[in-house]
Amino acid sequence: MGSVGGFFALRTGAPGVGHVPLAQVYERDHAPLTARVDRVAARLRAPERRVAASVAQLGLAARLWSIALGGAVLADAVPRLDPRGLYWDPSLTSPDDLVLTRVDLVLTGALDGAGAGAGAASVPAPGAASAPAPGVPALPATAAAVREVVQYGHLVPLAEALRRDGRISPRLLWGNAGSALAGAVRELSGWAKRNGRPEAAERAAVLAAELFGHPDLRTTGATVAGSFRRRSCCLYYRCPAGGLCGDCVFDRPPPRSSARAESG
């Protein structure tokens, strides 16, 4: 799925030296997550650790939603992103940050790496068969499957791990999850328009509407003038070179003294 963008690419094969299974990060080894937050904090010169934690979580949430939603929309199947077989390197960026090592969890047999390098899952061409290869299990392309894989399988334990690492608002983290989901839909819709695939954009919108129906995501934002507008802020504007994101709840950066209130 790399032809949509780097966030949609999923590499398969052997992990690199710095890769660790996300299950390990969620359950007991928080060092990789701490290192990622420290790295983001240093790069952005974040004034508070929670700002860096927010940005780090937003990026990983965007990767996970993109891979799962992209598979559902463009390959009619959701990859089984089991945290035990999905490895993450906190020092790398998309698409090199994630590697799926358990081949029984791969989305489809179409692994020609188009647009994303060798070993990355690719988007089937219009009219191409989208069913998984024989013997390769995959979840049906439903909102429930996407939710199970991403929301329950990753975002919930990731949020818990981040809160163990430092103080950060659950409302902010769910706002980031909603923003990342809306961003994945926006990228898919843009790809669909450029490639003459209106049905893909429609499918993404339908799945997103179902996903946003969940109580944890329902209040994260609303559609304003055709675009998603979140009801919380990721705090990126608090960094020296930061600003407001396109879907930010604010129209202009608020006074620094109000940052704690807005994040919940």
Side-chain angles (χ1 to χ4, degrees), residues 1-118:
M1 290 175 290
S3 61
V4 181
F7 273 67
F8 291 79
L10 177 59
R11 297 187 179 279
T12 59
V17 175
H19 284 88
V20 294
L22 278 167
Q24 179 178 315
V25 176
Y26 299 155
E27 294 168 3
R28 60 187 183 278
D29 182 8
H30 297 152
L33 188 59
T34 298
R36 177 62 175 172
V37 174
D38 288 344
R39 187 180 183 87
V40 173
R43 188 179 73 245
L44 299 180
R45 292 185 291 154
E48 298 178 71
R49 184 171 180 77
R50 67 186 181 128
V51 177
S54 171
V55 173
Q57 183 255 3
L58 180 56
L60 189 52
R63 284 286 280 134
L64 295 164
W65 281 128
S66 297
I67 293 169
L69 194 64
V73 170
L74 300 173
D76 198 30
V78 179
R80 294 177 181 272
L81 303 178
D82 189 317
R84 296 168 298 175
L86 186 62
Y87 279 60
W88 176 59
D89 187 333
S91 69
L92 301 178
T93 57
S94 173
D96 298 310
D97 57 334
L98 294 179
V99 176
L100 188 62
T101 62
R102 295 176 57 178
V103 296
D104 60 311
L105 305 180
V106 175
L107 170 63
T108 71
L111 296 175
D112 60 15

